[in-house]
């Protein structure tokens, strides 16, 4: 089928099988490989993207359900300049192997969009659907907290 | 100054923008996809392999063991593991047939159209079944390797002991669970040479494995690491299997072939942490002085040897922990079972030994009725003391510092008293562990590897680091740049990290064993010192002074009677005149190191790192659910080259260790893993872990780069016993088998 998508503020029309996972469409048909697959069953959050403002595991979404939707991936979080959140992840050394980070950034951005001044507990809750095996989450929570502070300033 | 600063990650920008390219992000127009058909039984003979007539086999390429040109072998320690099964299969998940097809879907369909029938043999699925030789898997007795450590005379010492405490402990499998699954792309060139790109820790392990399978020379195999999404040991030896398979397919179909495992396949087929049964028998004086220790260790190696002897060796050496005991006997065996081969996982035998050893210290303290802190203080190794292998600890012994630090910061002794009287149905408890971890390879390992690394001055006046040590998230690229910048006295911007490509970098040895910073980092430092000397020599010639009068600092070169020169400008000129300048260095052992491989005595490691953990828990006495409420850890790592990254390593390792103790359990039926998914193999999320306090202790190691020792594995060692000790102190349930699930807590309470 033909699917219309607005991805990172750019319009696309793709010819794909209706049940193809949004994750695969993004990675294979559009060439945006920043979104990662960790488990393929919606448990790890590495494939998190925004669909019309909501955070979704793109491995669980057949592309036919997203026709006409606005999608934001990690590549859409910054233009030429890094977002405050991305900069905070760098400054706090929040990324180690980095494979979970695209999804983690999406989850964190979603939190900050709704709650610009979250507590550390609220941050932990917001990223509880995103598994990281490297960091123990401390520096990720630090980064999100600092990005929130930067927002206020 | 570059060393000791929390510099941000070299490849940080790529990792937060999605630009970092992992293996599955690569593609090329004529690329095919590989899939693996695996054994469904634990032990047996292949009777027939039937290819369905309803599938058009001309669309795909099929590979079996007969397609292997030279050796059907995954080259490692023993030559026992075939790359593809021939007639007998020894574990569920053992690879038998490979398929390559132009699309993943077609490859999957082909796999579904193959049917294998087996004659099932009896299978040995546990340590007990292996030892009773229920099935013959390796040799006549199923024992891959046995080690004994003997010091003094335990028999005599037990005679004089006032008290003897015995205990038996068991730990199960643990999955590394890197978030990026294993994957490679293999390309066979027309001349028969093979290029492997992929997710890996050890490019030269794959290099050797491919050479052996295909009978190729060093130059005919090129291995290139792509950005790697976590390893933790799981990508030490296993990628050789994936690479071998992809290369076979590529050779036969004539296309580059990508194999990237799905999670379920990766989990079911790849190596895990060895299960272990560990028994302690300890003789002491009534006031808690260790007199004699006997430890009996059995590891479950799985169906093939892989790295098991080396894992066992480390487990045996660390069996009694950082304590002095004059009379020691440690027996260790690793046995074969009909389960997927176990292999490297961060800690490498020590988390198993440490869980048993530290729980046993808790048991001793309870038996004697003394504080476990006092027991540990009384027996801890200090500078000048001698370990179980007879190694005299000459320097960098931070035992007292790490223990005192966590006891103070947690207010341990007051908490113990406070938690004795629970006020509601939530019991609180605090637990302690104290441990050490040898840095680098065991015994003469580093001397055999003789790791090499180089630095090269390029046409832009930049210094490029050439090493096979990989960046797998732990910060290799960043800390090596810091070391080189520091040694040369130049800015970090002037130092770049070269591609991890076996055609470009020397063999630095594998990225394992907490050796990257301590061992290879030192070699890098030496290579940089050599380069500095070369540059000084050239400058001295140029300005006509003595080499000793040339100094490089802060990115500037100074010599007498000449205005300060910019390092970069001078470097560009030097390269223009003399061509690229490359200096190499190679590992050499610190002075005085002696190791007896036969008797297992001597200096087991050049140096140890030391750690202590305190964990607090709250246990719901209705559901026996455990909530971890506090974690404090102190680590003596010699010197933190990059403190923020060191903390990140410790925090991440600690959470893996807490998962090991609390919830990570591989569930088996008939040799098959039932929970090979994120849905039912549970690792800690951000909500399962409290805020952690991470304290770095720096007792410099004179032969490490700027004093640095090993770090990567230490934080994996102590988390589980500290957690389980806290549960014991909270509830009275003394658990001897992890993970400490509610079921095990209930069982331990009922057994009281």
């Amino acid at each position: 089928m033909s699917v219309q998508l607005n991805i990172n503020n750019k319009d696309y029309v793709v010819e794909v099988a209706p049940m193809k996972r949004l994750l695969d469409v993004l990675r294979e048909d559009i060439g945006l490989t920043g979104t990662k697959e960790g488990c393929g069953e919606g448990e790890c959050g590495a494939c998190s993207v925004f669909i019309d403002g909501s955070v979704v595991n793109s491995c669980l979404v057949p592309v036919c359900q997203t026709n006409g939707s606005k999608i934001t991936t990690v590549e859409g979080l910054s233009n030429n300049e890094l977002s405050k959140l991305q900069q905070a992840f760098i400054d706090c050394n929040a990324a180690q192997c980095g494979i979970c980070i695209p999804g983690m950034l999406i989850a964190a951005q979603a939190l900050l969009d709704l709650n610009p001044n979250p507590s550390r507990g609220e941050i932990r809750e917001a990223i509880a659907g995103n598994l990281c095996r490297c960091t123990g989450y401390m520096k990720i929570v630090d980064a999100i907290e600092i990005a929130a502070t930067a927002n206020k300033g | 100054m570059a060393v000791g600063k929390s510099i941000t990650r070299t490849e940080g920008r790529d990792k937060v923008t999605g630009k970092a390219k992992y293996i599955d992000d690569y593609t090329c127009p004529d690329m095919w996809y590989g899939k693996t058909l695996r054994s469904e039984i634990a032990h047996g003979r292949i009777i027939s392999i039937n290819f369905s007539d309803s599938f058009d086999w001309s669309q795909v390429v099929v590979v079996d063991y007969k397609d292997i040109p030279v050796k059907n072998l995954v080259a490692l320690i023993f030559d026992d593991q075939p790359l593809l099964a021939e007639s007998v299969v020894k574990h569920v998940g053992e690879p038998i047939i490979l398929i390559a097809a132009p699309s993943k879907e077609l490859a999957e369909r082909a796999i579904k159209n193959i049917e294998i029938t087996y004659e099932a043999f009896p299978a040995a699925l546990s340590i007990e079944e292996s030892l009773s030789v229920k099935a013959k898997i390796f040799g006549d007795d199923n024992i891959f390797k046995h080690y004994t450590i003997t010091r003094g005379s335990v028999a005599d010492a037990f005679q004089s002991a006032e008290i003897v405490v015995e205990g038996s402990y068991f730990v199960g499998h643990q999955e590394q669970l890197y978030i990026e699954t294993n994957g490679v792309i293999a390309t066979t060139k027309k001349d028969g040479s093979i290029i492997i790109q992929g997710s890996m820790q050890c490019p030269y392990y794959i290099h050797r494995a491919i050479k052996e399978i295909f009978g190729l020379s060093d130059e005919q195999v090129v291995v290139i690491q792509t950005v790697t999404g976590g390893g933790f040991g799981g990508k030490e030896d296993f990628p050789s299997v994936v690479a071998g398979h992809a290369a076979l397919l590529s050779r036969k179909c004539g296309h580059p072939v990508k194999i990237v495992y799905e999670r379920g396949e990766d989990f079911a087929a790849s190596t895990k942490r060895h299960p272990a049964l560990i028994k302690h028998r300890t003789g002491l004086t009534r006031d808690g002085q260790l007199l004699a220790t006997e430890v009996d260790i059995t590891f479950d190696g799985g169906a093939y040897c892989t790295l098991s002897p080396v894992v066992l060796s480390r487990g045996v050496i660390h069996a009694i922990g950082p304590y002095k005991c004059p009379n020691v006997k440690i027996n260790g065996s690793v046995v074969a079972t009909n389960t997927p081969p176990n292999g490297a996982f961060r800690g490498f035998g020590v988390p198993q030994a440490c869980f048993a050893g530290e729980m046993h210290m808790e048991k001793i303290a309870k038996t004697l009725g003394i504080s476990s802190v006092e027991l540990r203080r009384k027996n801890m190794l200090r500078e000048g003391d001698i370990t179980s292998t007879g190694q005299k600890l000459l320097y960098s012994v931070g035992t007292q510092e790490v223990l005192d630090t966590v006891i103070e910061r947690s207010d341990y002794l007051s908490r113990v008293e406070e938690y004795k009287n629970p006020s509601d149905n939530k019991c609180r408890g605090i637990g302690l562990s104290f441990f050490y971890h040898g840095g680098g390879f065991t015994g003469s390992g580093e001397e055999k590897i003789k790791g090499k690394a180089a630095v090269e001055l390029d046409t832009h006046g930049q210094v490029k680091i050439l090493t096979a040590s990989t960046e797998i998230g732990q910060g290799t690229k960043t800390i090596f740049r810091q070391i080189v910048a520091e040694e040369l006295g130049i800015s970090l911007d002037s130092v770049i990290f070269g591609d991890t490509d076996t055609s470009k970098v020397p063999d630095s040895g594998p990225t394992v064993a907490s050796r990257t910073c301590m061992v290879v980092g030192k070699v890098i430092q030496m290579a940089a010192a050599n380069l500095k000397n070369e540059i000084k020599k050239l400058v001295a010639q140029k300005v006509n002074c003595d080499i000793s009068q040339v100094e490089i600092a802060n990115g500037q070169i100074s010599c007498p009677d000449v205005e300060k020169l910019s390092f970069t400008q001078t470097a560009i000129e030097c390269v223009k005149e003399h061509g690229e300048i490359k200096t190499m260095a190679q590992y050499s052992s610190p002075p005085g190191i002696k190791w007896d491989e036969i008797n297992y005595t001597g200096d087991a490691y050049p140096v140890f790192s030391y750690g202590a953990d305190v964990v607090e828990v709250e246990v719901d006495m209705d559901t026996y659910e455990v909530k971890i409420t506090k974690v404090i850890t102190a680590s003596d790592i010699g010197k933190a080259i990059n403190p923020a990254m060191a903390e990140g390593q410790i925090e991440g390792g600690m959470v893996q260790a807490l998962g090991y103790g609390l919830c990570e359990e591989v569930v088996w039926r008939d040799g098959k893993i039932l929970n090979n998914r994120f849905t039912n193999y549970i690792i800690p999320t951000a909500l399962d872990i409290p805020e952690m306090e991470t304290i770095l202790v720096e007792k410099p190691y004179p032969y490490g780069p700027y004093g640095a020792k090993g770090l990567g594995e230490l934080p994996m060692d102590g988390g589980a016993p500290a957690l389980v000790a806290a549960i014991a102190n909270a509830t009275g349930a003394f658990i001897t088998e992890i993970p400490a699930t509610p079921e095990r807590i209930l069982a331990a309470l009922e057994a009281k």
Side-chain angles (χ1 to χ4, degrees):
Chain A
M1 74 180 277
S2 174
V3 178
Q4 282 192 11
L5 298 166
N6 178 284
I7 306 169
N8 302 333
N9 292 321
K10 206 170 153 190
D11 290 320
Y12 295 86
V13 179
V14 285
E15 278 301 322
V16 285
M19 291 308 286
K20 189 164 184 176
R21 303 181 304 173
L22 175 62
L23 171 65
D24 297 331
V25 173
L26 290 171
R27 292 177 52 83
E28 295 167 9
D29 297 271
I30 312 290
L32 291 173
T33 55
T35 305
K36 306 301 181 193
E37 174 164 359
C39 66
E41 55 179 7
E43 286 288 336
C44 76
C47 66
S48 301
V49 297
F50 282 108
I51 302 179
D52 297 325
S54 305
V55 178
V56 175
N57 289 315
S58 63
C59 74
L60 294 181
V61 180
V63 69
C64 60
Q65 288 183 356
T66 63
N67 197 7
S69 291
K70 184 173 161 47
I71 290 159
T72 307
T73 68
V74 65
E75 291 95 340
L77 291 180
S78 54
N79 294 318
N80 292 325
E81 216 173 290
L82 296 180
S83 73
K84 281 175 181 155
L85 187 62
Q86 287 169 316
Q87 190 58 51
F89 267 61
I90 292 177
D91 293 343
C92 295
N93 271 307
Q96 287 190 24
C97 87
I99 193 90
C100 73
I101 295 300
M104 201 63 88
L105 285 164
I106 297 284
Q109 190 60 55
L111 169 71
L112 296 183
D113 289 348
L114 282 173
N115 177 1
N117 190 22
S119 68
R120 286 180 76 88
E122 287 168 333
I123 293 171
R124 285 180 177 274
E125 210 165 309
I127 59 166
N130 294 73
L131 296 177
C132 170
R133 193 59 155 168
C134 293
T135 64
Y137 305 104
M138 281 293 286
K139 306 254 179 285
I140 290 174
V141 176
D142 290 349
I144 299 169
E145 196 178 31
I146 281 174
T149 315
N151 270 335
K152 274 182 277 176
Chain B
M1 290 295 279
V3 160
K5 269 195 183 164
S6 294
I7 306 297
T8 59
R9 177 170 290 273
T10 301
E11 75 288 8
R13 197 181 172 93
D14 285 351
K15 283 180 172 172
V16 302
T17 52
K19 287 199 183 85
K21 282 185 98 179
Y22 299 78
I23 190 61
D24 203 20
D25 303 337
Y26 287 85
T27 186
C28 50
D30 58 343
M31 188 174 80
W32 281 29
Y33 296 84
K35 281 273 162 195
T36 314
L37 182 62
R38 302 173 181 282
S39 169
E40 285 172 23
I41 66 166
H43 196 196
R45 188 186 306 284
I46 298 167
I47 302 288
S48 67
I49 302 177
N50 301 306
F51 294 86
S52 163
D53 290 339
S54 61
F55 186 83
D56 176 6
W57 293 97
S58 71
Q59 322 164 77
V60 302
V61 154
V62 181
V63 158
D64 68 12
Y65 73 92
K66 295 191 285 295
D67 292 293
I68 296 169
V70 179
K71 274 190 202 162
N72 183 11
L73 172 71
V74 185
L76 212 56
I77 295 177
F78 296 162
D79 291 347
D80 64 330
Q81 185 177 12
L83 186 61
L84 289 168
E86 298 190 3
S87 63
V88 172
V89 288
K90 291 186 179 177
H91 65 90
V92 172
E94 182 159 3
I96 302 169
I97 301 276
L98 306 168
I99 298 284
S103 75
K104 265 186 267 187
E105 296 71 28
L106 191 59
E108 268 158 32
R109 255 193 294 141
I111 290 280
K112 286 186 182 134
N113 279 283
I114 305 170
E115 202 183 338
I116 302 181
T117 54
Y118 307 90
E119 176 198 354
F121 298 161
L125 299 174
S126 63
I127 288 171
E128 294 74 19
E129 289 180 353
S130 173
L131 288 171
S132 69
V133 198
K134 185 180 172 195
K136 248 191 205 182
I137 307 164
F138 185 86
D140 288 328
D141 56 6
N142 286 340
I143 293 176
F144 284 125
K145 191 77 187 178
H146 179 88
Y147 288 112
T148 305
I149 291 175
T150 313
R151 181 161 186 254
S153 165
V154 279
D156 295 345
F158 273 114
Q159 298 268 320
S160 56
E162 290 170 334
I163 196 151
V164 174
V165 182
E166 293 185 41
S168 178
Y169 308 89
F170 182 79
V171 294
H173 291 85
Q174 187 185 22
E175 161 64 26
Q176 295 88 352
L177 222 82
Y178 31 70
I179 307 289
E180 181 209 28
T181 56
N182 273 286
V184 302
I185 297 173
T187 307
T188 309
K189 297 272 181 188
K190 284 206 176 70
D191 63 4
S193 62
I194 293 170
I195 301 167
I196 303 287
Q197 294 166 275
S199 181
M200 65 185 74
Q201 292 177 227
C202 311
Y204 274 97
Y205 275 9
I206 299 178
H207 191 254
R208 179 184 157 214
I210 297 291
K211 280 193 302 175
E212 300 254 352
I213 295 161
F214 293 91
L216 297 174
S217 67
D218 281 348
E219 294 71 29
Q220 288 171 303
V221 180
V222 177
V223 181
I224 302 164
Q225 186 216 13
T226 49
V227 178
T228 296
F232 317 115
K235 293 173 185 169
E236 175 174 351
D237 50 305
F238 192 75
S240 296
V241 175
V242 194
H245 289 167
L248 282 172
L249 287 169
S250 168
R251 185 169 172 270
K252 191 156 178 182
C253 74
H255 296 271
V257 171
K258 181 195 265 191
I259 297 181
V260 173
Y261 286 167
E262 286 178 5
R263 178 59 58 185
E265 181 178 25
D266 190 291
F267 198 123
S270 68
T271 55
K272 317 237 167 309
R273 187 183 305 291
H274 290 70
L277 175 64
I278 301 177
K279 293 174 183 167
H280 277 255
R281 183 165 174 259
T282 311
L284 307 100
T285 62
R286 208 167 296 282
D287 63 354
Q289 194 75 49
L290 286 171
L291 297 175
T293 301
E294 224 172 4
V295 191
D296 193 54
I297 299 178
T298 315
F299 279 1
D300 175 349
Y304 297 107
C305 175
T306 73
L307 295 160
S308 287
V310 200
V311 178
L312 174 68
S313 155
R314 199 174 267 273
V316 164
I317 292 170
H318 289 76
I320 72 161
Y323 304 106
K324 54 187 171 199
C325 182
N327 303 289
V328 179
K329 176 138 199 190
I330 304 163
N331 269 308
S333 300
V334 56
V335 302
T337 60
N338 292 113
T339 58
N342 296 309
F345 188 167
R346 189 181 205 169
F348 210 76
V350 183
Q352 296 95 318
C354 183
F355 174 72
E358 283 302 278
M359 289 312 293
H360 195 61
M361 287 307 269
E362 291 290 315
K363 187 172 187 175
I364 291 169
K366 281 195 176 61
T367 309
L368 294 174
I370 64 172
S371 147
S372 74
V373 178
E374 190 193 325
L375 177 69
R376 287 178 170 100
R377 283 204 174 120
K378 193 183 272 286
N379 292 289
M380 72 161 62
L381 289 166
R382 296 167 198 267
E383 205 169 287
D385 283 339
I386 292 172
T387 70
S388 58
T389 62
Q391 175 168 1
K392 190 167 184 186
L393 300 173
L394 297 173
Y395 36 67
S396 187
V397 185
T399 44
Q400 180 157 358
E401 285 85 344
V402 296
L403 189 61
D404 287 354
T405 302
V406 296
I407 296 299
E408 261 165 50
R409 292 298 272 266
S410 63
D411 202 4
Y412 187 89
L413 299 170
S414 317
R415 290 286 100 80
V416 169
E417 290 307 312
E418 183 186 332
Y419 295 153
K420 273 183 180 162
N421 304 304
S423 53
D424 50 22
N425 73 333
K426 293 229 166 57
C427 286
R428 289 167 187 82
I430 186 166
L432 168 69
S433 67
F434 177 50
F435 45 95
Y436 66 168
H437 201 103
F441 266 77
T442 304
S444 40
E446 293 295 346
E447 199 53 46
K448 282 181 197 150
I449 293 172
K450 281 208 167 292
K452 292 191 278 288
V455 288
E456 186 180 66
L457 200 57
D458 71 9
T459 49
H460 306 290
Q462 284 181 311
V463 179
K464 187 194 274 183
I465 297 169
L466 301 172
T467 174
S469 289
T470 52
E471 169 66 59
I472 53 172
Q474 83 288 43
T476 304
K477 287 187 178 180
T478 312
I479 60 160
F480 278 9
R481 285 177 56 236
Q482 288 179 260
I483 289 170
V484 170
E486 182 80 32
E487 189 62 30
L488 279 165
I490 59 178
S491 81
L492 267 173
D493 299 338
S494 303
V495 186
I496 57 175
F497 194 93
D499 296 339
T500 309
D501 173 334
T502 56
S503 68
K504 297 177 184 167
V505 298
D507 187 354
S508 314
T511 304
V512 304
S514 309
R515 67 186 289 279
T516 298
C517 180
M518 170 179 137
V519 175
V520 185
K522 183 70 192 178
V523 177
I524 295 273
Q525 187 190 358
M526 283 154 43
N530 293 342
L531 181 63
K532 191 175 191 178
N533 208 40
E534 284 301 309
I535 296 168
K536 280 183 178 178
K537 218 190 294 177
L538 293 173
V539 171
Q541 279 170 11
K542 209 170 175 174
V543 304
N544 206 11
C545 69
D546 191 79
I547 185 169
S548 65
Q549 296 173 294
V550 184
E551 272 179 38
I552 307 177
N554 303 319
Q556 291 186 314
I557 304 178
S558 46
C559 25
D561 310 325
V562 184
E563 216 174 294
K564 277 189 179 171
L565 307 162
S566 129
F567 175 86
T568 310
Q569 208 46 49
T570 311
I572 290 171
E573 282 161 27
C574 284
V575 172
K576 223 179 247 171
E577 275 173 48
H578 304 276
E580 283 178 4
I581 303 164
K582 184 166 153 184
T583 53
M584 183 91 89
Q586 187 161 24
Y587 178 80
S588 63
S589 287
I593 294 272
K594 281 202 182 79
W595 175 249
D596 178 343
E597 182 73 29
I598 309 291
N599 296 309
Y600 248 58
T601 54
D603 300 311
Y605 301 96
V607 73
F608 289 87
S609 298
Y610 301 90
D613 294 340
V614 166
V615 173
E616 287 194 41
V617 298
E618 192 178 278
V619 184
D620 184 316
M621 294 309 282
D622 294 325
T623 62
Y624 300 113
E625 269 178 296
V626 176
K627 186 176 160 61
I628 302 169
T629 54
K630 202 170 197 181
V631 176
I632 300 176
T633 171
S635 310
D636 165 25
I637 57 169
K639 168 79 185 173
I641 302 293
N642 183 316
M645 285 191 170
E647 284 167 18
Q649 282 290 291
I650 293 164
E651 288 155 2
M654 187 69 195
V655 171
Q656 290 179 358
L658 294 171
Y660 188 42
L662 186 66
C663 54
E664 294 185 31
E665 182 159 31
V666 180
V667 183
W668 299 83
R669 186 187 295 153
D670 301 330
K672 191 174 178 177
I673 298 172
L674 299 181
N675 60 335
N676 55 330
R677 308 163 62 179
F678 278 19
T679 311
N680 42 20
Y681 181 86
I682 306 300
I683 65 167
T685 70
L687 274 183
D688 300 319
I689 298 299
E691 299 292 324
M692 284 181 266
E693 194 179 339
T694 306
I695 301 148
L696 302 175
V697 174
E698 297 182 323
K699 296 276 278 184
Y701 164 48
Y703 304 99
Y706 302 97
K709 307 191 273 190
L711 158 62
E713 294 170 286
L714 183 75
M716 183 71 228
D717 296 338
L723 167 72
V724 177
I727 295 171
N729 291 334
T731 64
F734 190 80
I735 292 166
T736 56
E737 179 176 345
I738 48 174
T741 55
E743 291 84 353
R744 289 207 176 95
I745 296 173
L746 174 63
L749 286 171
E750 282 179 349
K752 267 176 64 172

